[in-house]
Structures are given as structure tokens and as C-alpha cells.
Amino acid sequence: MKTTGTLPPEGSAAALDGGHALPVRQWPITLVLAVAVFGLAITFAGGFKVGLLTVGASLLLGAVLRLVLPEVGMLAVRSRFTDVTVLSVLGAVIVLLTLVAQPDPWLQLPLLDNIGQLIGRQRH
């Protein structure tokens, strides 16, 4: 079965006109991917938490760009609401998990300590 008549998502037109090179026309997704790759490079170089915070920040940056810009090119995948929600949740989860990662978490959440104790009790 062939799908016909599908429309592109709202805001999926290129951010700049055709007179510019492709990466420049698609600067929102290029920027988000560049920040994410930079974060991965930091992570692989040994900066685990800083690198993953940068990756999470790149997703949050994508959410902000999708929310405020009228045209974002390939950064638009679904509706504006869905794109912003998914990017925000994924970015926030990566940032939160990075902040509570062991050893020496930068953020202490007593709820997570209690969950860890409950899991430890169930194993014995």
C-alpha cells in the first residue's frame, strides 16, 4: 500500500532561502547536531558529565528553536507541540540523569536513594 497526500510538518520549510548552501539553509538542525557532536567529543575525551550535559543541552536548544522559530527546516519532524515536547523531555531526562550519576553526583535526590535501598533489600 502506498501513502499519498501526506503533508510536511508545520515549520518544515528551510530556515533560509535557496541562495545559501544546504547546511546554512538548515542552520537549526546543523546547530543542534554540532552541539551534540561536541558533547559526545567531550564525553569520549574523558569529561563524562560535562559532555552528557552538553548533549542534553543540545536537545533543549532544539526544543527552544522549534518553539520560537517559524521555520526550522529538518528540525521539524511532527507537529510543533510534539517536537517541542519530545525534545524537552529527552533533554531534561539526559540532564537529570547526568546530574545524579554516580560517583559523586552533582544533584542529590533522596527519592533515588530510597529506591536504591528498596532494590537492595529485594535482592537479599
Side-chain angles (χ1 to χ4, degrees), residues 6-13 26 29 62 66 72-84 86-87:
T6 57
L7 298 173
E10 168 199 1
S12 65
Q26 297 290 337
I29 190 72
R66 182 69 171 108
V72 291
M74 290 190 290
L75 189 58
V77 177
R78 300 285 180 203
S79 69
R80 188 176 308 271
F81 174 80
T82 302
D83 289 345
V84 170
V86 169
L87 288 168

Side-chain angles (χ1 to χ4, degrees), residues 8-112:
E10 168 199 1
S12 65
L16 295 174
D17 64 15
H20 298 86
L22 183 61
V24 176
R25 282 195 315 260
Q26 297 290 337
W27 72 265
I29 190 72
T30 303
L31 177 62
V32 170
L33 290 174
V35 173
V37 167
F38 180 67
L40 290 174
I42 293 170
T43 302
F44 290 131
F48 169 72
K49 289 186 180 181
V50 174
L52 288 180
L53 285 175
T54 305
V55 170
S58 73
L59 292 172
L60 295 173
L61 172 64
V64 169
L65 291 174
R66 182 69 171 108
L67 183 64
V68 300
L69 294 177
E71 302 293 338
V72 291
M74 290 190 290
L75 189 58
V77 177
R78 300 285 180 203
S79 69
R80 188 176 308 271
F81 174 80
T82 302
D83 289 345
V84 170
T85 301
V86 169
L87 288 168
S88 297
V89 168
L90 290 176
V93 166
I94 290 172
V95 168
L96 179 65
L97 290 175
T98 302
L99 292 175
V100 300
Q102 295 289 339
D104 302 320
W106 293 349
L107 176 65
Q108 296 286 335
L109 293 178
L111 173 67
L112 294 179

